[in-house]
Amino acid sequence: MARRAAEGTLRYFPNLCNHCGMCATVCPYGVFAAGSHEVRVARPGVCIECGACQRNCPAGAVRVEGGGCTAERIISVLFASRERPVAEQGRNCGEGRRRCP
Amino acid sequence: MDGRHPTHLGLPRITHEMSRTSRWDHFLAQCGLRPGRHQVKPGLYALGNPTADSPVFVTANYTLSFDALRSALAGIDGYILVLDTCGVNVWCAAARGTFGTEALVHRIAVTRLHDVVHHRLLILPQLAAPGVAAHEVAARTGFTVEYGPVRAQDLPRYLEARQASAEMRRVQFYLLDRLAVIPATLVRSLVPMALAAAILYATGGLLAAAFAVAIVLTGVVLYPVLLPWLPTDRFTAKGLFLGGVTALPFALAALAGYNQSPWWFRGGWALASLLVLPTAVAYLGLRFSSATPYASTTHVRWEILTYVPMMAWLAGAGFLLIIILSLLHVLGGV
């Protein structure tokens, strides 16, 4: 699954980075390699655009479009014409739909 | 005093043991049955006999998430803070924002967590990170967020070393994980499959009915099992390949069978199976990509744009062929 047919949306801005290494901690695919004085985007090809790095970067040095679990996003892409992405609807959450306030 | 903070006494107490009711609930959840009913009441729980210095673990109110956490914490005293994610697992809830900064800050406030524990540390599952901004939680509540391992089962090792190894930080999708996805999809497919098989049996006989079953078994069972070994790194192409392989025996059987029918009729059925089965399996494969942890939105959007129009044409032609052949068989007596 390493190679991607399309380029991903992950962008890293080294000039904003404060080297806290949080992006490397939260990434489930080891995309970032964090040393004490530098952060590298070591494996951009395996990024799944879950958005964990962006959300947890206190310096705003990482940006990525997407966010969250794959089911959520892919179903919203597959059925984009029929319904709004579930993530946008906020409270409308799939299996819990009927019980959720 | 036994060292316990008095506020603990009001908290619901839980253990790491799974009751029969819990196991039954897990079974139903795994099969996709009674959706939305697999929920734990949000709030703060006391696991074992915690003191004011015991660790606080945060999770979703999906029973599978909550129970995976408490069973992993056998022999550990602590607190479990359950957020209201409407019965959705941690990763998906993080995507939806229900397992988010706001929800965590709110739950800390309503459970008066500041009064329950002396320390200011929360252990969150790593997969909550798409929803929770650790630095914002710290700024707003004073609680430091520590991201534990991806899997709850690694928590004891994590607590010992106080850090997660690279391996604990990675999402994996082993055979067992892929098998776990099958029952829910299979249960959902049973009714449409039975309907299609019944219709095809009436128009095309046993072989045609088996065709409908083969689509579902290939797309829903074989595809997830064989996923890493199927050629290419594209979900759709993997499905086209696997569906093509499954379609071959059907095409050959169609050519060999119907001895009394003309060659074009047999060839028509063979062609129809070669058109429909691969595209149907490719579609199911594309759907399955949403259950895998390694599909990026960009990649799947690219696959949809690249493959879906072609798949629609192929499947459309195949279905049209099936309808024509069935009508000829039923009405024309071919």
Side-chain angles (χ1 to χ4, degrees):
Chain A
M1 291 295 146
R3 202 170 54 80
R4 296 274 172 235
E7 201 195 334
T9 58
L10 178 68
R11 299 289 178 269
Y12 167 62
F13 304 93
N15 51 325
L16 297 175
C17 180
N18 65 3
H19 313 117
C20 70
M22 202 59 174
C23 50
T25 301
V26 297
C27 178
Y29 279 95
V31 168
F32 299 93
S36 48
H37 296 294
E38 61 150 16
V39 169
R40 264 185 323 115
V41 185
R43 310 197 310 151
V46 296
C47 173
I48 57 161
E49 301 171 335
C50 75
C53 50
Q54 170 178 271
R55 175 80 67 188
N56 282 278
C57 178
V62 189
R63 264 171 240 165
V64 64
E65 286 168 31
C69 81
T70 48
E72 200 58 40
R73 288 173 290 133
I74 288 162
I75 288 167
S76 76
V77 173
L78 266 178
F79 303 106
S81 55
R82 270 190 276 154
E83 36 185 298
R84 284 187 301 135
V86 183
E88 273 177 27
Q89 297 169 12
R91 286 185 169 166
N92 187 358
C93 44
E95 35 200 319
R97 190 166 300 183
R98 269 156 290 162
R99 319 192 98 225
C100 201
Chain B
M1 288 295 285
D2 57 356
R4 257 191 268 150
H5 199 279
T7 45
H8 301 176
L9 300 174
L11 296 179
R13 249 163 218 290
I14 50 166
T15 68
H16 68 273
E17 279 157 12
M18 290 300 130
S19 66
R20 196 170 290 179
T21 326
S22 287
R23 289 183 200 283
W24 177 239
D25 171 82
H26 299 171
F27 173 76
L28 291 176
Q30 212 86 60
C31 293
L33 297 169
R34 303 178 71 192
R37 301 288 294 276
H38 310 283
Q39 299 197 22
V40 183
K41 197 165 174 277
L44 189 62
Y45 293 80
L47 176 73
N49 286 299
T51 70
D53 298 314
S54 299
V56 179
F57 304 90
V58 185
T59 191
N61 79 327
Y62 184 38
T63 50
L64 289 185
S65 309
F66 179 75
D67 289 345
L69 176 60
R70 67 186 176 97
S71 65
L73 293 175
I76 294 167
D77 297 315
Y79 299 91
I80 297 184
L81 184 65
V82 179
L83 305 190
D84 187 1
T85 62
C86 310
V88 171
N89 69 70
V90 172
W91 209 7
C92 289
R96 292 166 179 182
T98 46
F99 198 128
T101 308
E102 216 50 58
L104 180 55
V105 170
H106 169 74
R107 199 51 61 184
I108 290 170
V110 298
T111 56
R112 302 169 59 104
L113 191 59
H114 289 90
D115 300 332
V116 179
V117 290
H118 291 154
H119 63 80
R120 291 291 175 260
L121 183 73
L122 303 173
I123 299 176
L124 266 66
Q126 187 187 325
L127 293 185
V132 177
H135 54 281
E136 282 176 31
V137 174
R140 290 172 60 182
T141 67
F143 276 95
T144 303
V145 167
E146 194 176 290
Y147 286 110
V150 164
R151 287 177 191 244
Q153 66 195 44
D154 291 330
L155 267 171
R157 280 198 294 149
Y158 173 82
L159 292 172
E160 240 168 64
R162 216 59 212 191
Q163 62 174 24
S165 65
E167 179 233 327
M168 282 188 224
R169 292 239 169 267
R170 300 281 178 279
V171 164
Q172 300 292 352
F173 201 42
Y174 296 123
L175 181 60
L176 273 179
D177 306 314
R178 301 200 299 279
L179 289 177
V181 188
I182 294 174
T185 333
L186 198 56
V187 165
R188 253 202 318 271
S189 316
L190 283 181
V191 171
M193 180 181 82
L195 270 177
I199 294 169
L200 283 169
Y201 180 75
T203 57
L206 203 56
L207 189 67
F211 186 72
V213 178
I215 288 178
V216 171
L217 290 186
T218 311
V220 175
V221 180
L222 272 186
Y223 185 92
V225 170
L226 299 176
L227 185 70
W229 302 292
L230 292 172
T232 82
D233 56 2
R234 298 160 189 187
F235 293 98
T236 329
K238 282 169 182 280
L240 285 173
F241 173 82
L242 183 64
V245 171
T246 319
L248 274 181
F250 280 95
L252 291 175
L255 279 178
Y258 299 106
N259 280 331
Q260 69 281 39
S261 50
W263 65 269
W264 56 265
F265 188 77
R266 287 178 275 141
W269 274 110
L271 184 62
S273 52
L274 286 172
L275 284 172
V276 171
L277 218 157
T279 44
V281 174
Y283 174 74
L284 291 170
L286 197 55
R287 279 302 299 265
F288 183 74
S289 70
S290 72
T292 75
Y294 37 51
S296 75
T297 314
T298 304
H299 176 81
V300 173
R301 186 175 288 135
W302 177 85
E303 278 203 27
I304 289 171
L305 290 175
T306 312
Y307 287 99
V308 168
M310 176 204 47
M311 282 159 58
W313 280 108
L314 291 179
F319 280 120
L320 194 66
L321 200 54
I322 288 179
I323 291 168
I324 293 171
L325 292 170
S326 300
L327 286 176
L328 282 173
H329 178 66
V330 174
L331 305 174
V334 180

